[in-house]
Amino acid sequence: MTGPTTYFDPARVDELPAETASLVKRRIAALGPAYRLFYREPVEFVRGERAHLFDRDGVDYLDAYNNVPSVGHAHPRVVAAIAEQAARLNTHTRYLDAATVAYAEDLLSTFPSHLGNVMFTCTGSEANDLALRIAKAATGGTGVIVSWNAYHGVTTEVAAVSPSLVGIEEMAPWARAVRSPHPDVDIAEAVIATLGELEIMGIKPAALLVDTVFASDGVYPDLPSLAKAVAAVRKAGGLFIADEVQAGFGRLGSADGTGMWGFQRADLQPDIVTLGKPMGNGHPVAGLVARPELTAAFAAKSRYFNTFGGNPVAIAAAQATLDVLRDEQLPAHAARVGERLMDGIRSLGSSVAAVRGAGLFIGVDLVGPDGTPDEGFTLDVVDAMKQRRVLLATAGADNTTLKIRPPLPFDDADADRLLEALAAVLEERA
């Protein structure tokens, strides 16, 4: 590995404790070199509860990173729902299943009425892949516009519109990334200019695809001109796809507990919304919600089937997760605890240049001792927090933003623990 990183360097495997080194070597031998391990010294977890993870020695780590177990690690209601359904039946969506239809209806009730159809997949990558297929079928276009450091998944189609994964230079010829969000770039102006470029190239736009919290770009939940960008794409014949894989299911908080989706914050009206990571609290279930006329246009050209997408066990996990979100009022909880946490971080001194966020999805821009953004400094902070048993990550093309997105049961005591650890780490490095 070259450059600063918080990933484990396999060349250092013999520096690890013997038992850990043995497991790492076996993993590399079995899984190959493409996989990475978090942190400069890998950690093995064997149990989780709420916003906490525990290693083999029972050491408690505060999980402020994993947004997938949205209602908390090993939530008993979700675990029970999965186990009970698995003990009865698990097939696929070519058979009638009342629970699948009921969940689809329940999920749709959380969306604006114009979004009337659900299609199930296993992963967010599949959901975004399917969304692009629908957009291209419905519009006749192929052009896709994304943000500068976007990540939308790992299939060939969506990796090609994920510059944070493949790099700008390896994007598909029909895809463009706008240099936004950025303090000096208006996303609407950038999108309008890109539409002009696509027109010159003879590429008809199919969609503007954005993660509604711009997580990989550094966490930007509020971009006032995004609505103008959406309008420009629609005028040019394209659709707006809201990628809610990371932002959705109440993570961005809602004071009244009813707001579930990032696009609602900007009063946007998507044509397609993609869902993933937190949908089944870690069980592989994902999907998209779309305008019925779009799914009809797609169905006229192609059938859809996904063996495991929306299977009965996946639906049981998804229904239990949605029920817990509402019953435990987690969107409102996220709004309150997230605001308190952001206020605390803002008070931590000169190393904190900016704090952006909504609910329990927070980005913290850090600067080094000289007052400028410093990738190495930020990555050192992440590793030092891990040494203090608090798990974080970075975001942004330059890795100078701390990314905080814990399971939603993250409470006041958890926030205090994170603030205490971060204050100590920043003071040590000031």
Side-chain angles (χ1 to χ4, degrees):
M1 293 184 180
T2 59
T5 181
T6 57
Y7 288 109
F8 172 67
D9 181 356
R12 296 183 52 246
V13 65
D14 288 326
E15 300 174 20
L16 298 173
E19 187 175 0
T20 302
S22 174
L23 183 57
V24 170
K25 289 177 180 178
R26 288 169 53 205
R27 173 187 161 109
I28 294 171
L31 303 184
Y35 282 90
R36 292 181 179 183
L37 282 165
F38 271 156
Y39 306 114
R40 294 166 186 170
E41 183 176 335
V43 60
E44 179 187 7
F45 294 116
V46 299
R47 184 171 68 85
E49 181 180 356
R50 294 177 63 83
H52 297 260
L53 289 166
F54 301 87
D55 68 13
R56 284 200 172 277
D57 296 322
V59 176
D60 176 355
Y61 287 74
L62 177 61
D63 183 1
Y65 170 75
N66 285 295
N67 59 333
V68 178
S70 56
V71 300
H73 289 284
H75 194 290
R77 286 177 63 181
V78 180
V79 171
I82 292 170
E84 289 167 8
Q85 183 60 49
R88 281 197 304 271
L89 176 70
N90 198 27
T91 53
H92 50 73
T93 53
R94 280 178 168 160
Y95 301 122
L96 282 172
D97 181 70
T100 299
V101 176
Y103 175 71
E105 293 168 339
D106 197 4
L107 182 64
L108 286 171
S109 74
T110 70
F111 285 93
S113 59
H114 73 281
L115 297 171
N117 286 161
V118 183
M119 299 175 75
F120 294 114
T121 66
C122 298
T123 68
S125 293
E126 289 182 356
N128 280 322
D129 189 288
L130 179 59
L132 292 185
R133 289 175 63 196
I134 292 172
K136 292 178 179 183
T139 65
T142 59
V144 178
I145 300 173
V146 298
S147 60
W148 192 250
N149 200 50
Y151 174 78
H152 295 291
V154 297
T155 69
T156 300
E157 183 87 348
V158 292
V161 296
S162 296
S164 70
L165 182 66
V166 300
I168 294 289
E169 65 283 353
E170 295 297 326
M171 291 178 65
W174 40 263
R176 296 292 185 276
V178 295
R179 197 176 286 275
S180 185
H182 186 279
D184 300 323
V185 178
D186 180 280
I187 192 170
E189 293 177 1
V191 166
I192 291 168
T194 301
L195 287 168
E197 178 187 340
L198 290 174
E199 184 177 15
I200 292 171
M201 298 295 292
I203 300 173
K204 181 181 177 181
L208 171 66
L209 169 62
V210 297
D211 159 14
T212 56
V213 76
F214 294 90
S216 296
D217 291 283
V219 187
Y220 292 84
D222 299 299
L223 288 183
S225 63
L226 182 56
K228 186 177 177 182
V230 170
V233 170
R234 285 208 176 107
K235 184 177 180 181
L239 304 178
F240 171 44
I241 303 172
D243 182 342
E244 294 278 352
V245 170
Q246 296 203 60
F249 289 97
R251 172 155 297 278
L252 301 191
S254 170
D256 64 3
T258 61
M260 295 282 281
W261 313 109
F263 67 81
Q264 293 171 316
R265 292 178 56 83
D267 198 26
L268 299 171
Q269 296 294 318
D271 299 294
I272 303 173
V273 180
T274 56
L275 315 171
K277 296 182 188 298
M279 189 170 173
N281 205 48
H283 190 88
V285 58
L288 63 78
V289 176
R291 292 195 283 117
E293 58 268 35
L294 300 180
T295 58
F298 175 72
K301 299 178 180 180
S302 176
R303 66 187 178 91
Y304 177 71
F305 174 62
N306 186 316
T307 301
F308 299 113
N311 69 69
V313 173
I315 292 299
Q319 184 68 70
T321 300
L322 186 57
D323 290 343
V324 171
L325 279 168
R326 290 182 294 217
D327 293 348
E328 298 186 7
Q329 301 179 337
L330 290 177
H333 174 83
R336 183 187 65 79
V337 177
E339 191 61 41
R340 180 175 180 271
L341 181 57
M342 285 189 283
D343 286 344
I345 294 171
R346 291 186 182 102
S347 71
L348 293 184
S350 59
S351 294
V352 176
V355 180
R356 295 178 299 277
L360 284 171
F361 210 132
I362 300 168
V364 182
D365 289 344
L366 296 183
V367 293
D370 64 355
T372 62
D374 185 326
E375 180 183 23
F377 177 85
T378 307
L379 294 173
D380 284 346
V381 168
V382 170
D383 198 66
M385 290 291 284
K386 182 260 185 182
Q387 298 303 322
R388 290 177 177 269
R389 311 295 186 258
V390 178
L391 306 179
L392 304 173
T394 61
D398 298 323
N399 282 320
T400 56
T401 302
L402 292 181
K403 180 166 60 178
I404 301 172
R405 51 174 200 185
L408 297 183
F410 188 92
D411 60 23
D412 289 325
D414 296 328
D416 290 341
R417 178 175 168 184
L418 187 153
L419 288 168
E420 181 180 353
L422 186 56
V425 168
L426 293 177
E427 185 177 354
E428 290 170 356
R429 284 156 178 74

